[in-house]
Each structure stands twice: as C-alpha cells, then as structure tokens.
Amino acid sequence: MHQTFRRINDELFRLNWNEPPRESFSPLRAVVMSRMMPGSHIMFCIVWTAVAMGLSANAAIFDTFDPARHNRYTSGTTPNPTFFLKDFDLSGIGGRAVLITPRHFVTARHVSDVTATAIFIGRDGVSHSYTSNVSDDLMTTYTYTTVDSNGKETNVTVTAASDIRVFTLPEDVDANITPIPIAVGGAADFIGHELIVFGNGDQAGRNIIDDVDVETFATRANPTVNAIYTFDAGGINGGLGPDELGLVGGDSGRQGLIQVGNELALVGTNFGKLVPEGVGPRGRFFNFTTLLAPYVDDQLAPLVMTTGQSFRTLTVTAVPEPATWLVTTLVIGAIGLRHRHRKQLRVNCTG
C-alpha cells in the first residue's frame, strides 16, 4: 500500500493510515521522515509513457507544449532559432551532463553508472564526446526524529551519499564549450524564483520554486537538498501558463537553472516527483530538482581543486516575502532548512 498525500494550506496530510505516527516532524531541521505500514513500499519508479501523457515522445509534461518555443533543437543538433533560451550559452549542457569546470560535469547518481559519457555541442556547432570513469558522490548529513510507542523522541543523524554525482575528466574539454556557473545563496533566497527545467528530449520549460528541503528515495536512499515545485496546468495556483513544466519518466539527471542577471546558473539536476493518489496525468503533482548551493563550499570546491580547477558562482537574491516566512541559511552538516511546516515525503524517481 502506498502513502497518499493531499495539500491543504501548504501542508501535506497522510490520508489512509489508522495507526499512530511513528515519527515526528521538526520544522527547524532537515528532517526526513517515513511512516511505513508493515510490508508497504514507499518508493517506486513511475515511468509514464508519451502516449498515456498525450505528449510527443521523450517530452516532459507542459501546460501547452509548443515545439517552436520549447525544443532546443529542430532536429538532431540543429539549433532551434525560436527556442526561448536561444540567447543563452548552453554549450555546457549535454543530455544528463552539465559542465561546471573544464574538467568536471554533474549528473544524478540514481541514473548514472561508474562510467559516463557526456556529449556537448560547442558554440561552433561541433559535437564533442567525453568519457570518465572517475566520479565522486557528494554527501548529505541530516537528522530525523523517531517516536516510540511510549512517546519518547530520539534524534537520529545520518550521513549518506546524495544524488549529486561529479565526474572528473582526464583533460579539459574543447574551448568552445562553456561551463555553467552555479547558483548560490540561502534556502529562502531560492524560494519564489523562476526555475528553468530541462527534460528528456532537450526540451525546456519553467516553474516556480515553492520550497527547499531534504528528500530521499525509499529506505532513505540518496538524501539530497532539493528545490520543490508543483505542476499547475491551466494557470491555476500560480502556474506559468504554456511554459509550465512538470517532470516525467526519463527526465532524471536533466538540469534545473535560474536566471541571475543576464546569465543562467545551475541549480541542480532533476531528482524525482510525487504524484498524490487519484491525481491524473495533468493534475497537480510535486517535482524535485537537487540544489547544489549547500554543497559548494565544503565539498564541491575542494573536490575540483584537486585537479587545479574552480567554478564560477552567481548569487541568487531573495524574492520579497511576507514577514512571517522563515529565513534560514543552507548548511550541510546540521542542515537548517525552511520547511513551511510541510510533512516530509518520499519521492518517486524520474529515471
């Protein structure tokens, strides 16, 4: 039996359990929770077919898909002159790989192997292929609280590999390929910003970041700080109209970007989604894209430094918010994150 969620006043409530909760929630910690019934399975990979979604093959789900606007290429690797991101240098984005230094690219761990090949289309229009068998997984330390049958609370702190995998290349990429800078800032700085999301098939759309939190797959696998956003078709709930995008099977490892000034900066890679029970393919569901920002100083910068590399960062400025919103700073270790009192949930992969 799977968990069922519904959202009321920005809170997630579990609908179909009669037993007492086994874990409690703290809004001031990066708490990852599970309330499992015996024999239940929380995590399963949903792979929706293009036919079932009513979409073209290999597409993310859009409010209204327009190939002239949303396709990066017209065919093969021929640039689309009407792509809405055509004025940005996207040469560092290739499939499920995004280049952050001339020798390092990032992807999602749950869709990558020990060896990965990245193909980038340079600014000169030439395709370049690079293979690496050297990778490192960034780590997340987080705390969750258990409550036993007597009501006693116990804090459990876990350090585990995140879903952020960094590959190191044996040599620099071609000079016509430009690394993508990384977006940095505190948790609250990202909330409310527009997120540009790439899906399988080199299509891109937009959404709005609603929250930042630590999410996991089943058995607490791949705990990672994530930007969270909902798919809202038809302009409801603040949807962005035709550009509104949600994740589907095959989108994992593709990129989430944010515009800072006149440039695009990397937020992270697509992690997964959660579809509430009973919601149809065009209903409201939750999407998750990893957030690199909290890993930059303590893990990512020292990692690329071992090969004499560095990356650019662009600082995200907070969107003005109501005074009642909690402002925090992302910190890996004892991560302090903004939860908006949202019950923690397990995420389905979009591999």
Side-chain angles (χ1 to χ4, degrees):
M1 179 169 126
H2 297 294
Q3 299 184 40
T4 301
F5 300 88
R6 63 188 173 103
R7 183 178 281 272
I8 297 179
N9 297 328
D10 293 323
E11 295 188 26
L12 288 173
F13 295 88
R14 302 169 196 270
L15 301 179
N16 55 4
W17 283 324
N18 295 319
E19 63 176 358
R22 298 178 183 173
E23 298 184 346
S24 65
F25 172 74
S26 166
L28 300 180
R29 287 194 303 273
V31 181
V32 176
M33 303 175 59
S34 69
R35 301 181 189 172
M36 291 188 65
M37 295 188 68
S40 67
H41 300 280
I42 293 179
M43 168 62 188
F44 60 101
C45 292
I46 301 178
V47 181
W48 289 344
T49 66
V51 173
M53 298 295 290
L55 305 172
S56 60
N58 299 322
I61 182 171
F62 287 81
D63 178 286
T64 307
F65 177 65
D66 179 1
R69 176 171 173 80
H70 299 131
N71 278 342
R72 181 178 178 184
Y73 304 108
T74 55
S75 63
T77 58
T78 301
N80 175 7
T82 58
F83 182 41
F84 81 100
L85 300 175
K86 65 181 176 59
D87 294 330
F88 295 98
D89 183 357
L90 302 174
S91 58
I93 293 177
R96 283 175 164 160
V98 54
L99 195 71
I100 59 170
T101 84
R103 287 188 59 185
H104 297 88
F105 64 86
V106 173
T107 189
R109 180 166 73 97
H110 76 271
V111 292
S112 64
D113 207 338
V114 293
T115 299
T117 297
I119 299 175
F120 302 105
I121 309 300
R123 295 186 306 279
D124 56 358
V126 177
S127 176
H128 303 268
S129 179
Y130 301 94
T131 298
S132 172
N133 60 4
V134 178
S135 65
D136 294 270
D137 298 329
L138 304 187
M139 307 297 289
T140 304
T141 298
Y142 67 104
T143 299
Y144 63 92
T145 302
T146 63
V147 181
D148 65 19
S149 58
N150 297 318
K152 179 182 178 181
E153 295 187 359
T154 302
N155 292 333
V156 181
T157 300
V158 177
T159 297
S162 75
D163 200 48
I164 302 170
R165 177 163 287 176
V166 184
F167 280 90
T168 301
L169 296 170
E171 58 185 9
D172 288 6
V173 299
D174 187 88
N176 284 293
I177 305 170
T178 306
I180 304 296
I182 298 173
V184 296
D189 297 331
F190 286 87
I191 295 167
H193 271 284
E194 189 174 288
L195 182 69
I196 296 169
V197 185
F198 274 84
N200 192 17
D202 288 305
Q203 297 161 343
R206 302 182 298 140
N207 210 299
I208 298 292
I209 299 174
D210 298 315
D211 209 348
V212 171
D213 210 339
V214 172
E215 307 293 347
T216 76
F217 295 134
T219 65
R220 304 193 193 282
N222 298 37
T224 313
V225 182
N226 271 264
I228 305 166
Y229 48 103
T230 56
F231 175 71
D232 298 296
I236 62 172
N237 299 314
L240 296 176
D243 285 353
E244 181 85 1
L245 176 147
L247 301 178
V248 300
D251 290 340
S252 287
R254 302 285 177 151
Q255 302 77 26
L257 307 167
I258 193 169
Q259 184 170 348
V260 181
N262 295 321
E263 296 185 79
L264 294 180
L266 177 66
V267 172
T269 59
N270 296 336
F271 182 76
K273 65 182 179 183
L274 187 139
V275 182
E277 186 175 292
V279 172
R282 295 192 62 80
R284 194 179 200 219
F285 63 91
F286 304 94
N287 304 268
F288 305 83
T289 295
T290 61
L291 189 64
L292 285 175
Y295 302 86
V296 162
D297 292 335
D298 294 339
Q299 298 185 54
L300 195 54
L303 171 60
V304 303
M305 185 71 72
T306 61
T307 54
Q309 300 291 319
S310 62
F311 46 77
R312 292 179 59 220
T313 60
L314 295 176
T315 301
V316 175
T317 302
V319 174
E321 301 176 298
T324 54
W325 284 19
L326 177 64
V327 178
T328 60
T329 300
L330 291 171
V331 179
I332 285 295
I335 307 175
L337 292 176
R338 179 177 173 282
H339 282 249
R340 292 200 298 184
H341 307 289
R342 182 176 57 80
K343 300 295 185 183
Q344 191 65 31
L345 46 92
R346 302 292 178 145
V347 182
N348 304 317
C349 71
T350 52

